[in-house]
Amino acid sequence: MIIILAIGAGLYLYLTSHTQLVVGVIQRAMYGDGSPNSFEPIYPPREGITAAGQYKISEIAYGTHYPNSFLDITYPDADTEADRPTLFYFHGGGFFGGSKNMGDPMAANDSTALIDDLCAEGYNIVNVDYALVPDYLFPTPLIQMNEAFRFIEEYKDVYHINMDRIVIMGSSAGAIMTAPYATLISAPEYA
């Protein structure tokens, strides 16, 4: 019994001090032999009405320097020119998994359904992907967050996005990203 406990404790200590082993197993389960990071979109770009009756433009490249630099814009309906508040959303997944399409694969939640619900309440949604570990470490996702905001600011008239009334939201890792970013944009002396 003592030997089994010692082996279990040793294995526990080894795994908790080498988290990349655990992350690697989870990434292989989620992505197979492929990388979770890609300079190509996961799905083909689409534009049109969704099953929820919302209008979506998907797989818009907001940057070229880092992988997963794609975002989707969803409008409550086909009137893409209506003046509405904008919600920027960043998915969870522990910085090693997830996407704007699947949300946080490690959480039992309906974050993507929540985004549809918020859109139905009258928000234009900008749903953003970002690069994942181990290939890209923090602050890369924060840099990409800034790139996404800069892209939307530059193309706000093309996509009819109101950048004067925005909400920044994320789940899990995405929430961790939004806190320092909100601090940076609201406290220039801190930035």
Side-chain angles (χ1 to χ4, degrees):
M1 182 68 167
I2 293 174
I3 294 172
I4 293 173
L5 288 174
I7 291 171
L11 184 60
Y12 173 79
L13 288 172
Y14 182 77
L15 290 175
T16 57
S17 63
H18 293 86
T19 55
Q20 186 50 47
L21 294 173
V22 176
V23 167
V25 169
I26 295 170
Q27 283 181 330
R28 278 191 294 287
M30 288 176 14
Y31 303 102
D33 291 332
S35 170
N37 295 304
S38 175
F39 285 93
E40 298 296 323
I42 296 173
Y43 301 103
R46 300 184 80 104
E47 182 171 345
I49 299 293
T50 68
Q54 298 164 344
Y55 194 84
K56 185 176 193 175
I57 305 170
S58 72
E59 307 303 341
I60 301 166
Y62 66 81
T64 58
H65 189 70
Y66 299 104
N68 303 348
S69 293
F70 300 97
L71 58 81
D72 296 345
I73 301 173
T74 308
Y75 306 87
D77 53 44
D79 183 7
T80 62
E81 295 186 23
D83 184 21
R84 301 181 179 105
T86 303
L87 186 143
F88 280 81
Y89 180 76
F90 299 87
H91 69 82
F95 295 106
F96 64 85
S99 73
K100 61 183 172 52
N101 300 304
M102 75 170 76
D104 182 350
M106 305 307 290
N109 67 38
D110 292 323
S111 60
T112 53
L114 172 64
I115 299 306
D116 288 344
D117 291 347
L118 289 168
C119 187
E121 291 297 320
Y123 287 87
N124 291 332
I125 307 293
V126 178
N127 194 353
V128 185
D129 262 340
Y130 52 88
L132 303 172
V133 301
D135 301 325
Y136 295 87
L137 304 176
F138 197 83
T140 300
L142 206 57
I143 293 167
Q144 287 180 279
M145 179 182 271
N146 199 48
E147 288 178 346
F149 275 93
R150 189 176 9 226
F151 176 86
I152 293 296
E153 179 64 37
E154 182 177 343
Y155 292 97
K156 66 184 177 190
D157 294 334
V158 172
Y159 294 109
H160 308 286
I161 299 294
N162 185 334
M163 290 297 285
D164 294 325
R165 296 188 302 156
I166 64 170
V167 175
I168 304 171
M169 179 181 156
S171 67
S172 190
I176 291 169
M177 291 167 54
T178 62
Y181 192 78
T183 301
L184 294 173
I185 62 175
S186 63
E189 67 282 354
Y190 180 77

